[in-house]
Amino acid sequence: MISVKNLSKKFGDIVVLRDINANINKGEVISIIGPSGTGKSTFLRCLNLLETPSGGSISIDGIDLLGKETNVPKIRQRMGMVFQSFNLYAHLTILENLTIGPIKLLKKKESDANKKAMELLKLVGLAEKAYNFPDELSGGQKQRVAIARCLAMECEIILFDEPTSALDPTMVSEVLSVIRKLAKEGLTMLIVTHEMEFAKNISSRVFYMDEGIIYEEGTPEQIFENPQQEKTRAFIHRVRSMYYNISSSNYDLYKLQGDIARFCEKHVISQKTSEYAQMLAEEVIVMQKDYSDINIILSYSEKEGTLVLTCESGGEQYNPLEDEFHEIAVMIIKGRCKSVEYSFSEGKNVLTLGIKNE
Ligand code: ADP
Ligand code: MG
């Protein structure tokens, strides 16, 4: 149904989409996930021509979207878009919000448009709000109206751009339920979302976007249970990291420990584990021989609840774990960790400590 080839988009010198390739079949529900700033919104906006692509091609049922003769309003009508921020007309009733498009653009009779709009409001559970104004509705209700408005335009494809990001947590599920219902009815949908459980349950395929491309794609099982790429894995497991670079033995230990404390606080890691992490950082640094380029990395996997401290250092190959001189430090470290490993690769000494959770 939709075919995207070598799609690229630049804003000035900034390349946002490098080379997007995708084929989407009728009735598919595609979730698009990925870190912010990776071009997910830009991709959706290129699809319905809210942005003009810099290169490549997009076609819908064989019609070239970027062709000179293409009827852009007609294409847009086939492809509705639901935004984070509802975009309803504040001065029109809910019913009028649904009928204005069909009457003005699809040239429908008012009575037919009203009838269809009421059916759709029933579908999204808001028939009793037909004569209210948008301001009188909650965020979740407004978003359901926005979805019904797309359907009123008889669109065949709906593009959702983080439809629940602007909502209170209590209202997320009512919107997701409506989207789930539409998926069952066979509507073709592309959904940019941060709701991983939802994406996992609803999608036929998942696109992970990063570095201006569809970095990895697959079924929800493939992407969520067995991602092949490291970046996808990190994103799925919500691995958050902090980095600290040391370039001389006069480094600021207190700053490092403060950074670790803040990182742990932010990720609701216990006080005790935080203190372990600070102490372990100090111990691993003390054991180093070459202070010219040490990287301390603390990574926390939200999904697995594990905290890992990594110390990378340059210089010659040196494993402090096997150095008698550090016997006591190594004992302390081993007592506080689930795993302690050393490796040497690409000119880097790497110590990896899996910190015990307390
Ligand atoms: P995402 O939706 O994945 O968070 P976006 O598609 O919104 O990412 O944005 C990707 C990048 O493109 C960002 O760095 C953003 O600043 C930039 N960008 C988006 N729209 C514009 C624009 N109209 N002009 C300039 N830069 C833009
Ligand atoms: Mg976005």
Side-chain angles (χ1 to χ4, degrees):
M1 187 180 206
I2 307 175
S3 165
V4 180
K5 289 202 187 88
N6 307 117
L7 176 70
S8 63
K9 177 68 186 172
K10 289 185 226 169
F11 294 105
D13 290 340
I14 305 166
V15 180
V16 175
L17 303 178
R18 217 152 34 90
D19 186 14
I20 302 275
N21 293 283
N23 282 305
I24 296 154
N25 301 317
K26 199 169 162 59
E28 269 203 287
V29 178
I30 310 267
S31 292
I32 303 173
I33 60 171
S36 69
T38 49
K40 302 181 299 297
S41 297
T42 304
F43 176 41
L44 290 193
R45 294 168 63 81
C46 282
L47 282 181
N48 75 351
L49 301 175
L50 287 173
E51 299 285 357
T52 311
S54 309
S57 68
I58 304 171
S59 65
I60 294 193
D61 290 335
I63 303 166
D64 174 12
L65 251 62
L66 306 173
K68 281 202 183 72
E69 256 113 78
T70 304
N71 182 342
V72 174
K74 177 107 180 102
I75 293 288
R76 284 227 186 98
Q77 182 251 307
R78 292 182 67 178
M79 223 174 333
M81 184 137 172
V82 173
F83 302 88
Q84 233 179 72
S85 56
F86 337 115
N87 296 3
L88 300 178
Y89 295 113
H91 63 290
L92 298 181
T93 63
I94 298 306
L95 188 71
E96 287 164 343
N97 262 283
L98 262 65
T99 56
I100 183 169
I103 292 170
K104 293 222 160 134
L105 301 173
L106 304 183
K107 310 291 177 207
K108 284 206 169 185
K109 277 202 298 195
E110 194 177 332
S111 57
D112 291 346
N114 281 339
K115 186 162 169 266
K116 183 72 189 170
M118 283 308 294
E119 277 171 28
L120 291 170
L121 286 176
K122 274 206 191 90
L123 178 79
V124 300
L126 291 170
E128 62 181 13
K129 300 288 183 195
Y131 301 101
N132 287 81
F133 285 88
D135 276 354
E136 298 169 309
L137 270 58
S138 72
Q141 291 172 330
K142 280 188 227 179
Q143 196 57 304
R144 285 186 280 152
V145 172
I147 294 170
R149 185 180 50 179
C150 268
L151 298 171
M153 288 302 286
E154 296 172 353
C155 63
E156 298 154 56
I157 301 158
I158 304 191
L159 311 174
F160 291 92
D161 193 1
E162 300 193 25
T164 59
S165 302
L167 301 177
D168 276 356
T170 53
M171 292 167 193
V172 170
S173 72
E174 64 188 59
V175 172
L176 296 184
S177 301
V178 167
I179 300 176
R180 199 172 281 127
K181 193 155 153 190
L182 300 180
K184 284 206 188 102
E185 295 189 357
L187 215 70
T188 309
M189 304 196 282
L190 274 76
I191 311 169
V192 173
T193 183
H194 288 293
E195 302 284 341
M196 295 298 153
E197 274 308 303
F198 173 72
K200 194 165 155 182
N201 295 329
I202 194 180
S203 324
S204 52
R205 270 189 298 157
V206 179
F207 292 174
Y208 171 72
M209 276 183 71
D210 209 331
E211 296 188 4
I213 57 173
I214 297 174
Y215 201 81
E216 186 165 358
E217 70 159 290
T219 62
E221 291 71 33
Q222 285 167 338
I223 298 293
F224 290 106
E225 308 302 335
N226 193 20
Q228 299 300 304
Q229 307 283 346
E230 187 51 42
K231 281 196 165 190
T232 318
R233 218 180 340 258
F235 182 78
I236 299 297
H237 292 178
R238 294 168 196 262
V239 178
R240 302 287 176 254
S241 303
M242 64 150 273
Y243 301 85
Y244 196 91
N245 182 262
I246 293 167
S247 52
S248 85
S249 56
N250 296 324
Y251 75 100
D252 186 347
L253 174 66
Y254 299 106
K255 166 89 169 49
L256 169 63
Q257 292 184 327
D259 284 1
I260 293 175
R262 268 188 299 282
F263 177 85
C264 289
E265 224 165 83
K266 193 167 146 201
H267 297 285
V268 208
I269 295 161
S270 75
Q271 179 66 28
K272 190 132 191 212
T273 308
S274 169
E275 280 165 15
Y276 278 6
Q278 293 169 49
M279 184 213 66
L280 289 165
E282 184 178 1
E283 292 294 338
V284 294
I285 295 165
V286 166
M287 297 195 303
Q288 300 305 312
K289 269 192 171 157
D290 183 334
Y291 278 75
S292 63
D293 186 17
I294 300 178
N295 278 310
I296 296 292
I297 306 153
L298 191 62
S299 300
Y300 178 63
S301 162
E302 217 171 271
K303 194 169 173 193
E304 273 138 31
T306 52
L307 191 63
V308 175
L309 179 78
T310 309
C311 175
E312 296 177 352
S313 63
E316 63 188 44
Q317 182 167 1
Y318 168 66
N319 181 357
L321 301 175
E322 285 174 357
D323 190 334
E324 271 179 22
F325 186 74
H326 297 306
E327 211 172 353
I328 292 172
V330 171
M331 245 170 55
I332 294 173
I333 289 173
K334 287 190 171 158
R336 300 272 154 96
C337 292
K338 288 184 278 200
S339 61
V340 182
E341 282 162 28
Y342 168 83
S343 69
F344 184 78
S345 70
E346 290 171 21
K348 277 211 162 84
N349 294 288
V350 183
L351 264 181
T352 311
L353 315 184
I355 302 173
K356 273 186 189 162
N357 258 328
E358 296 286 332

